[in-house]
Every structure is written in structure tokens, then in C-alpha cells.
Amino acid sequence: MVGASAGVCPALPVTSSPPLVLLLFLILCLLSMATPAKPWRPWPHLGSNSSSSLGESKKYEGSSEFVQLRYHMGPVLTANITVHPIWYGQWTPAQKRIIRAFLRSISPVGDTTVRWPSVEGWWRTVSMYTDQTGDNVSRAVRLGAEKNDRHYSYGRSLTRLSIQRVIRSAVTAKTRPLPVNPRGGLYLLLTSAEVAVEDFCGQVCGFHYFTFPSIVGYTLPYAWVGNAERQCPGVCSWPFAVPEGYGGPRAGAPPNGEVGVDAMVSVIAHELAELASNPLVNAWYAGADPCFPTEIADLCEGIYGTGGGGSYTGQLTVDERDGAAYNLNGIGGRRFLVQWVWHPELNYCYGPNALD
């Protein structure tokens, strides 16, 4: 997850484990869920005494000198990827269309033409990561079957474990259950603005991990992302909203007219990139502790364009007609603002809108 604070407990071994070992592993995972996780916050560098502003240009974009991103021999998602959204709470059709459009923009189908820089171009960097056989993360990402939970089956305040129970209900539903696909399925739980989640706003804006067989019945990569528009827009809806007391300029208006959902798009992208490159928290990450890995999107938190770093987003496109700030184009003329990810060959944060 930290950015995905991906892990709050040890990674699942690649090789199969004897039942006793697996049981001990699961117990350790459950106990360690109480451990505070490293946060994913799109406003990572602004402290109470910071004087940085969004208008301050810096040549930052990550540090190749100190970052030691390593491969830990675990799997990456080399099979075609299917994302299954689970809509928890009250979502408007317009909000759903924004997120669906982003997911469909990762791998446009047919003769769809999208202007550069594109969401598809952004995913190409993610697809450069490989497993121990040399196979790459798949470029094929599709929007799969969806599930709605409008009636808050597990309440309006979710814990990390109850999030897994929501996923269990989605894959075991009596009517139209989500397909179970451990190799290429990603299960994306999205909570609406009125739903509280453990550590939301205080420590995290989203996280990813894998489900426990003891709860769900399967080991499935999943992510959670929440709509922060009502609860903490200044924390998790940056840069379209800023913290109280911040006197600098905002980056611009949300490109699809939804402060909370437009900000969610970047967090969703963050989590999908890390799910693809580190689905079981034993593949690509920096740092020695798998409980607190720094993953390929964590390394570039808050960086959206050339010169980004500190509390400066980097250079973006701002549409003079509506003031919308964005850096990527999607299908149907959609525009999105998505953070950069770590480029494994350049050893640098990178996005297709880079100017140099």
C-alpha cells in the first residue's frame, strides 16, 4: 500500500508451503495487521513548517543515486490482466464512468486513437518490469465484471479485514459472482465518499495486498481506494484540493469535474502499477523490510511532470477553456492527472508527458 502500503506483513512465498507453514504465515499476517502501515499520501512532502509551493519549480523527479529498487524473485502479473471493480456505497453513474474510462484507457481496444501523452503510454513503463523468467508485466489490461454493494453490507466503517470480507462476498455471491482469477484478476474495492476505512485520511489514501485464504478462500491480489472528497480532500484529493492553511496555488481544476474521483484515478493507477509489479509483495520493491516495501509508484509520490518534487507537481497541461489540470489523455477525449512511476532502465521517475 504505501503507496500502496503494500505490505503490513511478510510476503507469501512463491513456492508452495506445507499446511502448517501456511497456517503459521496466515496467523502472522493477521497479527501484523495491527502494525501501522507506511502511508500512501499524494501530499507526501508537505510538513507543518514547509515553505514549498505548487508554483516552485524544482529539478527533482526522484533520485537515481540513492534508490535501490531490487527484484526479490516473486511473480509479476504476466498474464492478461482483468480489473474487477467492487463499488461499495453510493456511486453516481457519472463517477463510475470516469473510473471505467481510465481503466479502459490503459489498453484501448480496436482502432481507438488516443492523443499523446496517453494512459496507455504511462502503462508501458509498468510493463517493463519482468519476472525471473524474463516475462514482462502484461500490457493487456481489461475492465472485467463489476459488483455493487449499495447497501453497505459490512457497514459504513470498514477495517482492513472487513475489506477482505467484502471481496469474499463479491466472489461467492449467489447471483453474478465475480470470477476467481488468481493469475490475472485484480480486485479493486472502491468506497464512496460517506464510507470510513481504517487508517483512511490519517495514514492512507489507498493500499494493496492479497486476500487470505482463511477469509476469502483464495489468494487474490486486491486494492482499496476511497473517495476523500468529504472526509479529507486536503489530504487525499491533492492537488485538486490542498491542506488547510496552505497559501499557494492549486494545480488546477479536476479534468472530469469531480475533485474526489479525479484524485482517486491517480491513487488507482498507483495501486494497479504496484499490484502488477509486486502482487504478493515479494517481487519489485526497495528497502530491506518486506513488511514496509517502497514500490515503483511509492518512489514517485506527488510527481506528475517534469521538475516535480517536494510539493510541486511538475509541469502539467492546463486547459485554458476550463482550467483543468492533467497530464494524460484517455479514450473518448477523457483527461486524467496520474502520478509518474519508477522507470527500471532510466532509474528515474518517468511519465509520457516528460519534457526531457
Side-chain angles (χ1 to χ4, degrees):
M1 114 195 143
V2 16
S5 168
V8 291
C9 58
L12 185 67
V14 180
T15 56
S16 59
S17 302
L20 179 59
V21 175
L22 181 58
L23 178 61
L24 291 174
F25 165 76
L26 292 174
I27 293 172
L28 178 59
C29 282
L30 290 170
L31 291 174
S32 62
M33 293 298 284
T35 303
K38 187 177 179 181
W40 191 98
R41 297 174 64 166
W43 186 267
H45 307 291
L46 184 61
S48 58
N49 298 320
S50 173
S51 61
S52 298
S53 72
L54 291 171
E56 179 182 8
S57 179
K58 294 183 178 180
K59 181 62 178 177
Y60 180 76
E61 303 164 16
S63 169
S64 60
E65 182 179 355
F66 300 107
V67 172
Q68 299 294 326
L69 183 71
R70 291 188 174 91
Y71 177 54
H72 298 266
M73 305 305 290
V76 302
L77 296 184
T78 58
N80 290 349
I81 297 169
T82 303
V83 181
H84 296 288
I86 302 171
W87 307 93
Y88 192 90
Q90 301 297 313
W91 292 89
T92 68
Q95 290 174 330
K96 289 184 176 182
R97 283 195 293 269
I98 295 169
I99 293 175
R100 287 175 182 145
F102 171 73
L103 295 173
R104 289 183 174 127
S105 296
I106 297 175
S107 301
V109 297
D111 298 326
T112 305
T113 301
V114 179
R115 294 178 55 191
W116 190 266
S118 66
V119 175
E120 181 181 18
W122 174 87
W123 188 260
R124 288 178 189 171
T125 302
V126 180
S127 69
M128 297 179 71
Y129 287 87
T130 61
D131 64 13
Q132 56 187 307
T133 69
D135 289 342
N136 292 79
V137 167
S138 177
R139 284 195 181 185
V141 180
R142 299 287 181 259
L143 176 63
E146 306 176 30
K147 203 69 178 171
N148 293 284
D149 190 334
R150 303 179 185 89
H151 303 295
Y152 315 97
S153 296
Y154 291 87
R156 298 195 183 203
S157 181
L158 300 178
T159 66
R160 290 175 181 267
L161 292 182
S162 61
I163 282 175
Q164 296 207 23
R165 296 186 181 103
V166 175
I167 297 172
R168 178 189 62 194
S169 295
V171 300
T172 60
K174 293 182 179 179
T175 58
R176 298 182 181 179
L178 294 183
V180 174
N181 180 5
R183 292 191 66 244
L186 298 183
Y187 299 82
L188 180 61
L189 179 60
L190 305 170
T191 52
S192 54
E194 69 280 5
V195 178
V197 175
E198 181 182 0
D199 296 328
F200 189 25
C201 297
Q203 292 189 22
V204 298
C205 303
F207 64 78
H208 77 87
Y209 207 53
F210 52 83
T211 61
F212 302 151
S214 59
I215 297 176
V216 180
Y218 310 92
T219 300
L220 304 172
Y222 77 93
W224 158 77
V225 179
N227 185 342
E229 185 170 6
R230 296 184 193 175
Q231 300 179 53
C232 56
V235 176
C236 292
S237 294
W238 186 81
F240 305 121
V242 297
E244 293 183 10
Y246 173 72
R250 290 169 172 78
N256 297 287
E258 285 271 355
V259 169
V261 177
D262 272 304
M264 284 181 72
V265 165
S266 187
V267 185
I268 290 169
H270 179 125
E271 303 303 338
L272 293 181
E274 295 183 342
L275 274 171
S277 60
N278 196 29
L280 298 182
V281 203
N282 58 2
W284 288 95
Y285 63 87
D289 187 352
C291 290
F292 301 95
T294 301
E295 300 170 278
I296 69 170
D298 300 336
L299 292 166
C300 304
E301 287 180 29
I303 300 175
Y304 300 81
T306 298
S311 56
Y312 173 55
T313 60
Q315 297 187 47
L316 310 176
T317 298
V318 179
D319 194 317
E320 295 181 354
R321 298 169 298 177
D322 57 9
Y326 64 100
N327 61 355
L328 300 179
N329 295 291
I331 63 171
R334 291 279 188 179
R335 303 163 298 176
F336 303 102
L337 183 62
V338 176
Q339 70 149 91
W340 285 5
V341 293
W342 192 260
H343 195 295
E345 293 184 0
L346 298 178
N347 209 28
Y348 212 64
C349 294
Y350 178 78
N353 59 310
L355 300 179
D356 54 353

